[in-house]
Amino acid sequence: MTPALLGNLGVTLTLAFSLLGLVLALLAYLQGDARFLKGARRLVLLAFLAALAAFLALEWALLTHDFSLEYVARNHSLNDPLWVTLVTPWAALEGSLLLWGLLQTLYTWMASRRLPDPWRASLILSVLFSIQAFFFAVMATVASPFQTLPNPPADGVGPNPLLQNHWMMAVHPVLMYLGFVGFSVPFAHAVAAMATRRYQTWVEETQWWTLIAWGFLTAGKVAGMWWSYEVLGWGGYWAWDPVENASFLPWLLATAFLHTAYVQRTRGALKLWNFALVTLAFSATLFATFLTRSGVIMSVHAFAEGPVGLVFLFGFLAFFLLGMFLLYRVGQEVQDPVVFRLFSREGALLLGAFFFLGWTLVVLLGTLYPLLVEAVSGAKVSVGAPFFNQVSIPIAIGILLLMGIGPLLPWRRTRPEVFRNLAILLGVLAVGTLMGFLRGYTPGTSLAVGLFAYNLAAILLLVGEEIRGRLRGGLSPWGFWGNRRRVGSLMAHLGVALMAVSIAFSQTYRVEQERTLYRGQAWEVGTVTLRFEGVRALDEGRRFAVEALLPTDRFGEVRPRLHFYPQMNAPLPSPHVVYTLKDDYYFVLMDFDRERGEWASLRVILTPLVLWIWVGGGLMALGTLYILWPASRRQEAKGVSPA
């Protein structure tokens, strides 16, 4: 047995089990025979085990330096450290598809353990089997990670240096894939519900699965921002890159669904909306995959152009058109009789959905516009960050305003205390903004301060109302923490507000300076003074590193680096970042005296509050985890109301 043989066998068996499972699941639906459904469910675990065997075969090939595999020869070298070797499966196209396929079989197995009635169960499995059959068919034909070479080299070239320059690359792609793949389960639930005309009962399970995918995608995007900040050497974390935008689309759509699903669960309205949002969110994940792997865009995230681009385009269109057909039928059969009042919970949630959809449309158009212009006229144009910032800021302000007042609004009709709460919040917003002005902040940053205070006040009002309600009912106020859905959503909202104000400060008050220093020369930047003491060269096997020695009066010695990889013509910067509660100090070595090490060109970037962006992202992830904790199911069963 060789890794290639085991890998190909695993891919082939997974494809065979998926196709057979698809046939059995469809027969179960068409014949109404539970025996077919039972058989399909048994194949779920077999498909997962076969996919796991294929993935382990690739790890086996990497750990044993089996350069007879083309993937290993292209993306691995004898000098790679162990952690880089272990994460190399998702360093390039074929391996990342294998990871995607493995996670797809894992999600299918998890979903098979929580299936609803047999009619929907058979269709849910049909959709999930179809998706995983699609991915493994791609690997079995045009993008095999187990393609062998007739004349294997003695050593490979190693993975892309950008992917081995920071440990975050071991985490970020996996989180992103867990998020992307996770949206297949809500899509399967939605298709099954639309096909069987179960328009109401599907939403609770789907909301639960969407929250899982959304939580992973949120964590993945924040991890990606952090990686970009610490690795690329430009001192930023978000560039409106086309691939960043493409992964932002399903996040926006899923966020809208997570909120409008409450309206359907509580008032039975927005059925068509919710079907559409789930369908579009899943379609957006395939669209993002097409953009990343088709070669139609240039991005640090994109894989090289390959034959899978066209395949993914057809896959995207097939699943998208299936969803659109079913949505058309739902639209003919479902009416929303509920009247939406502006000052009601459902009114705020619907308005929020409009904001998220508008944001999605803007980001999509801005991302596709250069491609459309080039396809029509051949001209190359670009849509940069100023456009996205200009249209995104008003939308984000609207969302932040709704995020504060929305949870305080009652369902159906307005009560007098709503206007009291609204007055309090608007007062806090005005005071916070005024305080920003008095401290000399820009109008935009002052408004961000006001919106943060506004949302913090809203959370305190909600907690106060909850505790008072429990005390009036003779219950312990600490029992509030047992309402995981409410507490988790408040944590996520606090994380969003914290990220918003941190982004406002970091974008407005970033200071960047560059200077060439000679040995022994000092430089005062902001509140820190550094001195250049020379450079040090290090041979680290897989790369050659040069670091500047910069003792400071605040942080000890900082050592920004340049990394030289054999497979790259230009060096990669490895900044030294010092985080503080107020400012980040970002030291970059740009160039140095290559003969005597007597001088070095340095860039220092001072950016306020960046640390709190990561804290905010962590709060969003923790809030999601808190909601998903199994105890929340038991709480709901006892009648605890959702947020």
Side-chain angles (χ1 to χ4, degrees):
M1 181 69 75
T2 63
L5 182 60
L6 177 61
N8 282 316
L9 183 63
V11 170
T12 304
L13 285 177
T14 309
L15 176 60
F17 290 144
S18 301
L19 291 173
L20 183 58
L22 171 62
V23 171
L24 291 178
L26 288 175
L27 284 173
Y29 175 72
L30 296 172
Q31 301 292 326
D33 191 332
R35 291 175 297 176
F36 291 122
L37 180 60
K38 189 175 180 181
R41 295 182 69 165
R42 286 177 176 169
L43 288 170
V44 169
L45 182 58
L46 292 176
F48 168 66
L49 293 176
L52 180 62
F55 186 81
L56 292 177
L58 186 56
E59 290 282 16
W60 177 18
L62 289 163
L63 289 169
T64 56
H65 316 300
D66 185 352
F67 296 111
S68 67
L69 288 187
E70 183 182 351
Y71 185 86
V72 178
R74 279 193 288 109
N75 301 290
H76 175 63
S77 78
L78 295 171
N79 292 323
D80 289 347
L82 179 60
W83 77 269
V84 172
T85 300
L86 291 173
V87 306
T88 296
W90 50 89
L93 174 67
E94 297 86 352
S96 69
L97 289 179
L98 182 57
L99 175 64
W100 190 305
L102 172 65
L103 296 178
Q104 184 64 62
T105 60
L106 175 62
Y107 268 112
T108 302
W109 176 67
M110 292 167 58
S112 71
R113 299 172 65 82
R114 302 172 62 91
L115 291 172
D117 59 82
W119 291 100
R120 279 189 295 160
S122 57
L123 287 179
I124 289 170
L125 286 182
S126 298
V127 174
L128 293 174
F129 275 131
S130 301
I131 297 169
Q132 67 188 41
F134 170 76
F135 276 93
F136 281 90
V138 171
M139 283 183 271
T141 54
V142 296
S144 171
F146 301 103
Q147 186 72 38
T148 56
L149 294 171
N151 299 303
D155 194 0
V157 297
N160 185 334
L162 280 174
L163 305 181
Q164 53 178 308
N165 214 29
H166 196 279
W167 63 269
M168 190 67 78
M169 285 312 297
V171 178
H172 162 58
V174 178
L175 292 173
M176 292 294 291
Y177 290 156
L178 282 167
F180 271 34
V181 180
F183 285 118
S184 65
V185 183
F187 176 69
H189 276 265
V191 168
M194 287 189 284
T196 57
R197 292 182 169 83
R198 265 75 161 182
Y199 296 146
Q200 178 58 33
T201 54
W202 70 288
V203 72
E204 181 178 346
E205 283 293 330
T206 305
Q207 189 182 21
W208 197 259
W209 285 108
T210 305
L211 188 59
I212 293 174
W214 183 88
F216 278 122
L217 187 57
T218 301
K221 291 194 72 63
V222 174
M225 292 164 65
W226 202 346
W227 169 81
S228 175
Y229 184 66
E230 291 222 344
V231 169
L232 297 183
W234 61 299
Y237 43 80
W238 187 263
W240 295 108
D241 176 277
V243 175
E244 291 175 350
N245 295 349
S247 65
F248 195 33
L249 300 176
W251 188 89
L252 290 170
L253 293 163
T255 306
F257 169 75
L258 288 174
H259 290 85
T260 55
Y262 284 125
V263 180
Q264 183 170 343
R265 291 180 62 182
T266 306
R267 301 207 60 191
L270 299 184
K271 296 184 180 68
L272 183 60
W273 270 81
N274 288 326
F275 280 128
L277 288 171
V278 171
T279 302
L280 292 174
F282 173 72
S283 301
T285 65
L286 294 183
F287 173 71
T289 308
F290 160 71
L291 274 187
T292 310
R293 289 164 175 81
S294 63
V296 300
I297 57 169
M298 296 298 294
S299 165
V300 295
H301 306 80
F303 293 104
E305 184 176 357
V308 298
L310 196 60
V311 177
F312 270 99
L313 180 60
F314 282 120
F316 160 71
L317 290 175
F319 288 110
F320 178 74
L321 291 176
L322 169 65
M324 290 301 106
F325 167 74
L326 292 171
L327 280 173
Y328 172 77
R329 198 178 70 176
V330 174
Q332 302 298 309
E333 299 177 358
V334 171
Q335 300 292 328
D336 277 333
V338 176
V339 175
F340 286 85
R341 292 182 172 84
L342 180 60
F343 286 99
S344 66
R345 182 81 62 90
E346 56 269 40
L349 291 170
L350 180 60
L351 185 57
F354 277 117
F355 278 120
F356 281 112
L357 280 175
W359 205 351
T360 303
L361 186 62
V362 166
V363 174
L364 179 65
L365 291 177
T367 304
L368 291 183
Y369 180 74
L371 300 178
L372 295 175
V373 170
E374 185 174 359
V376 173
S377 65
K380 289 187 177 297
V381 299
S382 62
V383 177
F387 165 78
F388 290 107
N389 290 336
Q390 193 169 12
V391 297
S392 295
I393 289 173
I395 297 173
I397 291 172
I399 290 173
L400 287 168
L401 286 170
L402 283 173
M403 194 174 74
I405 189 62
L408 285 163
L409 296 173
W411 296 100
R412 294 183 177 83
R413 60 184 179 181
T414 304
R415 293 197 294 261
E417 58 266 31
V418 168
F419 296 102
R420 182 205 62 192
N421 290 334
L422 183 60
I424 293 173
L425 293 182
L426 290 178
V428 171
L429 173 63
V431 172
T433 306
L434 181 60
M435 292 294 291
F437 276 117
L438 292 176
R439 290 184 64 85
Y441 299 147
T442 65
T445 310
S446 299
L447 180 59
V449 173
L451 285 168
F452 175 75
Y454 165 91
N455 276 283
L456 187 61
I459 291 172
L460 293 176
L461 284 173
L462 276 167
V463 173
E465 285 187 357
E466 187 77 21
I467 291 176
R468 284 195 297 272
R470 294 187 66 84
L471 289 174
R472 283 195 297 269
L475 301 172
S476 167
W478 301 111
F480 168 67
W481 291 98
N483 189 346
R484 293 181 181 273
R485 193 179 291 271
R486 171 61 63 88
V487 174
S489 65
L490 293 183
M491 290 171 65
H493 283 185
L494 178 60
V496 172
L498 190 56
M499 288 187 76
V501 71
S502 305
I503 289 171
F505 272 89
S506 62
Q507 293 291 314
T508 306
Y509 296 108
R510 168 187 157 119
V511 176
E512 181 174 339
Q513 296 185 36
E514 294 181 10
R515 189 168 173 183
T516 297
L517 297 181
Y518 287 85
R519 191 188 294 271
Q521 191 172 3
W523 183 17
E524 184 177 347
V525 187
T527 59
V528 66
T529 300
L530 59 87
R531 184 180 303 278
F532 175 59
E533 296 291 353
V535 296
R536 179 166 59 187
L538 300 166
D539 186 355
E540 298 180 334
R542 63 194 168 109
R543 68 189 178 197
F544 186 72
V546 174
E547 59 185 19
L549 306 177
L550 305 170
T552 69
D553 60 347
R554 286 188 61 190
F555 313 123
E557 187 172 68
V558 297
R559 299 175 182 175
R561 287 178 155 210
L562 284 175
H563 288 157
F564 295 83
Y565 289 89
Q567 59 269 49
M568 293 194 73
N569 295 325
L572 276 180
S574 179
H576 187 123
V577 186
V578 178
Y579 293 100
T580 71
L581 295 179
K582 184 181 178 185
D583 296 311
D584 278 14
Y585 286 79
Y586 193 92
F587 302 90
V588 185
L589 173 61
M590 300 170 62
D591 200 358
F592 61 95
D593 180 2
R594 300 180 186 231
E595 294 184 358
R596 301 172 56 190
E598 291 296 319
W599 58 266
S601 294
L602 302 166
R603 177 191 297 150
V604 180
I605 304 172
L606 278 68
T607 313
L609 302 187
V610 173
L611 175 65
W612 297 100
I613 295 177
W614 321 132
V615 174
L619 277 173
M620 294 171 69
L622 283 176
T624 307
L625 181 63
Y626 199 70
I627 295 172
L628 291 171
W629 204 255
S632 60
R633 286 288 175 133
R634 295 194 292 273
Q635 293 289 341
E636 285 187 27
K638 291 177 182 176
V640 177
S641 63

